Amino acid sequence: MNTLPEFERLHPNARWTRRLSAVLLATLLLAVPALAATVLASARLDVDLGAALPLIPLAAVLLGAPVGWTYANRRFERTRFRLDADGLEIHDGLFWRRQTRVSRRRVQHTDINRGPLDRRLGLATLKIYTAGTRLASIELDGLPAERAVALRDALLADDRDAL
């Protein structure tokens, strides 16, 4: 009986990198337009903002941080992957759920990326380049560095026993 391997989860440290990214993005998405609108409105109405201007980024942080934090946690919980004899399968997404299947035959080459925070947390991102135009590259972040190397080597191996 040929059974498929179990889905794996991302490394727990990936939750922190996703939280940080989502909180920063949510804060910026709120702060920049709010600040611009306030400055434009104050110029149009000829109002001096004085000490109120620094409160706008603070409000953006207070609103954006919980939204980004919650989004990152839920997205982390939904991300799963597994490697089998035919290739790599990734399930992710929060609102728009996605199931991506990367066939070994279509893998052209791979990259492993490790930014400063990833290195500190022992993480890596595996980027897989495939033949074709749609989804020409797929990224799987939040992997332990050793697992990213093992996945890369297994995807590029000629034999099917390299799981």
Side-chain angles (χ1 to χ4, degrees):
M1 184 165 129
N2 189 7
T3 61
L4 291 174
E6 294 289 319
F7 277 95
E8 298 178 49
R9 298 180 67 176
L10 300 177
H11 191 279
N13 286 346
R15 187 184 303 259
W16 289 104
T17 60
R18 288 189 174 199
R19 283 175 178 165
L20 180 61
S21 297
V23 166
L24 288 174
L25 181 62
T27 301
L28 282 174
L29 288 176
L30 289 173
V32 171
L35 195 56
T38 304
V39 168
L40 289 173
S42 67
R44 188 171 201 191
L45 299 173
D46 199 26
V47 176
D48 182 25
L49 294 175
L53 197 58
L55 295 178
I56 294 167
L58 177 63
V61 168
L62 292 175
L63 292 171
V67 170
W69 189 274
T70 302
Y71 173 78
N73 283 336
R74 291 194 176 144
R75 190 170 157 247
F76 172 84
E77 293 296 329
R78 296 243 187 235
T79 304
R80 303 272 190 276
F81 68 95
R82 75 173 163 205
L83 180 68
D84 60 25
D86 295 323
L88 182 66
E89 184 175 353
I90 304 168
H91 292 200
D92 66 346
L94 184 57
F95 299 112
W96 289 271
R97 296 188 186 161
R98 180 176 51 207
Q99 295 179 3
T100 305
R101 181 93 180 132
V102 182
S103 171
R104 289 174 189 266
R105 293 185 314 261
R106 298 192 59 82
V107 174
Q108 298 290 310
H109 66 280
T110 61
D111 288 333
I112 294 178
N113 299 314
R114 299 186 72 204
L117 185 57
D118 288 337
R119 287 191 305 272
R120 176 108 172 122
L121 296 173
L123 301 175
T125 298
L126 176 65
K127 189 167 186 175
I128 305 162
Y129 298 91
T130 61
T133 56
R134 186 174 181 275
L135 297 175
S137 68
I138 294 100
E139 285 190 15
L140 182 59
D141 66 328
L143 296 170
E146 309 81 37
R147 185 62 178 137
V149 171
L151 284 171
R152 177 199 62 196
D153 293 346
L155 281 171
L156 296 175
D158 287 334
D159 63 338
R160 293 185 179 265
D161 295 327
L163 296 176

